[in-house]
Amino acid sequence: MGETHVSTREGLTAAGTSPLGAEDRARPAGTFLRRLRTPRRPRIWYELALIAVSYWLYSLVRNAVPEQRDAAMRHADWVWQAEQTIGLAFERAVNQAVNSVTWLVVGMNYYYATLHFVVTIAVLVWLYRRHPGRYAAMRTVLFVTTGLALIGFYFFPLAPPRLFEGGGFVDTVLVHETWGSMASGDLKHMTNQYAAMPSMHIGWSLWCGLAVFTLARVPWVKVLAVLYPPATLVVIIATANHFWLDAVGGLLCLCVALALAHLWYGRAPHRAPDQGRGELRDQPPPARREPATQESARLGTPPGRRLGELEDEPAGR
C-alpha cells in the first residue's frame, strides 16, 4: 500500500495555516519602504497636486494660528533686547539707510513680495526636468523645512520689526505702497502678520541656493546660487520684515530637514541617483543574455548563437 508524502508547506496549507514566516510577513512592509526611498522619475500631475495641497495646508495652518498680538510684541521686545545685549542690533540702521533711497527700497519691497515664490517654484521645475532622480529627496527637504516653520509660528508668535512698537523701524511696504505685498492693503488681513520666526524667506532661499549650487554645472549659475541667500537676508532686514535671528531660525529648520532626509534616504539628497546614469527605477532593464550551452562553452561559441551561424561567416573574422 503506497504512502502519500506531503511536504511541510503543503501540509500547512492544507491545515489552514499560513506558510509565511515572520520574515515573509515583514517583506511587503520592507518592500513598501524601499519603494518610498528609491529614486524614481516624478509624475507631473502627482507633483502639482502635492505642491498645491501642501501649500494650501501650510497657508491654512499658518493663518489659523491665533494672532497673539501681546505675545508677539513681548517676543519682539525680547529678541530686540537680546540682539542689543550681544551688540548685533543693526537692523534699524540698515532699515533707515535703505529707506532713504526710494528706488532701492521699492525694489527690495518687490523682491521680498515676489522672488520668494518665483525662485522657489523655478528651482522645483528645474529639478523636475533636469534632475528627476533627485527631485523627490530635495522636495522632501523643502516640505519638512516648511513644516518645522509652522511649529515656530504656533509656539513663538513674533511681531516683525516693522510692526514692533517703539522700535523706531520704518514700514517700507506701507510708506512706499508696494503693490501685491501680503503685508499691505487688504492682503494683510489674509495672512498672519506675526508669523515671523523662523523666516521662511531665508529657509527657502537657502534651500534654493543649496540645490542649484550642488547640482548646476555652469559656474555663473553657481555664483548666483551662492549670492541669493545673503541677498535675501539683506532684503528682509532692510524692509524691516525680519530680525536677523529669524534668519537663524530658518537656517536651523533647513539643517534639521536635511538631517532627516539623509536618515530617510541613506544619503545626502543631492547625491541621490540621477537621470542619465541608468540608475532610475523606471528605466528599462538591460537586455538579458542567454546562458551559454555546454556545446557553445566547449567550442567557444558566443552565447545565443548557433554553430551554423559561425560556419557562414567569412574567414578571417
Side-chain angles (χ1 to χ4, degrees):
M1 187 172 180
E3 296 180 359
T4 302
H5 297 280
V6 181
S7 65
T8 303
R9 184 176 293 273
E10 292 172 348
L12 290 173
T13 305
T17 304
S18 173
L20 296 178
E23 181 179 352
D24 295 324
R25 288 194 299 268
R27 190 171 300 162
T31 302
F32 177 71
L33 289 177
R34 283 196 300 271
R35 289 186 63 187
L36 290 178
R37 297 173 179 176
T38 301
R40 67 189 68 192
R41 195 179 306 278
R43 297 173 175 85
I44 181 64
W45 295 114
Y46 171 80
E47 294 299 329
L48 289 175
L50 181 63
I51 292 173
V53 171
S54 299
Y55 185 74
W56 175 74
L57 289 174
Y58 165 76
S59 300
L60 184 67
V61 174
R62 184 180 188 270
N63 296 333
V65 176
E67 291 198 2
Q68 305 174 37
R69 181 181 180 280
D70 293 338
M73 291 298 174
R74 287 197 306 270
H75 292 158
D77 182 66
W78 180 85
V79 169
W80 184 237
Q81 294 298 328
E83 291 184 353
Q84 288 180 326
T85 300
I86 62 178
L88 292 176
F90 51 80
E91 292 95 334
R92 182 168 56 195
V94 175
N95 169 240
Q96 293 178 350
V98 172
N99 185 65
S100 63
V101 184
T102 303
W103 66 267
L104 179 60
V105 70
V106 170
M108 286 187 171
N109 285 341
Y110 283 111
Y111 179 114
Y112 183 87
T114 59
L115 291 192
H116 177 55
F117 301 101
V118 172
V119 175
T120 304
I121 293 173
V123 173
L124 280 170
V125 172
W126 175 72
L127 288 171
Y128 178 88
R129 292 179 58 86
R130 302 297 297 273
H131 301 277
R134 293 164 178 163
Y135 171 85
M138 295 301 296
R139 178 252 289 149
T140 299
V141 173
L142 180 64
F143 282 14
V144 174
T145 301
T146 306
L148 292 173
L150 291 176
I151 300 176
F153 298 158
Y154 187 89
F155 290 101
F156 196 80
L158 178 68
R162 61 184 179 81
L163 298 180
F164 176 41
E165 298 175 355
F169 293 92
V170 178
D171 189 342
T172 61
V173 172
L174 181 62
V175 171
H176 299 281
E177 300 180 350
T178 303
W179 177 85
S181 173
M182 296 298 290
S184 64
D186 294 334
L187 293 176
K188 68 181 179 181
H189 301 295
M190 299 173 58
T191 184
N192 185 357
Q193 297 295 299
Y194 302 125
M197 170 65 84
S199 169
M200 278 300 91
H201 273 74
I202 292 299
W204 287 14
S205 67
L206 285 170
W207 176 84
C208 292
L210 177 65
V212 175
F213 179 79
T214 55
L215 298 177
R217 297 180 180 179
V218 181
W220 66 266
V221 175
K222 287 181 174 288
V223 172
L224 290 179
V226 172
L227 294 178
Y228 179 52
T232 302
L233 177 62
V234 173
V235 167
I236 67 173
I237 290 176
T239 57
N241 278 288
H242 287 282
F243 296 100
W244 67 264
L245 281 176
D246 301 342
V248 175
L251 172 61
L252 292 177
C253 288
L254 177 65
C255 290
V256 174
L258 286 170
L260 292 176
H262 192 284
L263 289 175
W264 176 254
Y265 291 102
R267 70 189 83 193
H270 67 277
R271 295 186 180 277
D274 201 8
Q275 185 184 21
R277 299 181 182 179
E279 297 173 344
L280 285 185
R281 177 177 175 154
D282 59 350
Q283 289 187 349
R288 294 181 57 186
R289 299 182 60 184
E290 298 182 9
T293 62
Q294 293 183 354
E295 183 180 8
S296 64
R298 180 173 60 83
L299 298 177
T301 306
R305 303 189 63 180
R306 296 187 297 272
L307 293 176
E309 294 177 347
L310 293 179
E311 293 175 356
D312 296 337
E313 292 183 357
R317 288 191 60 181

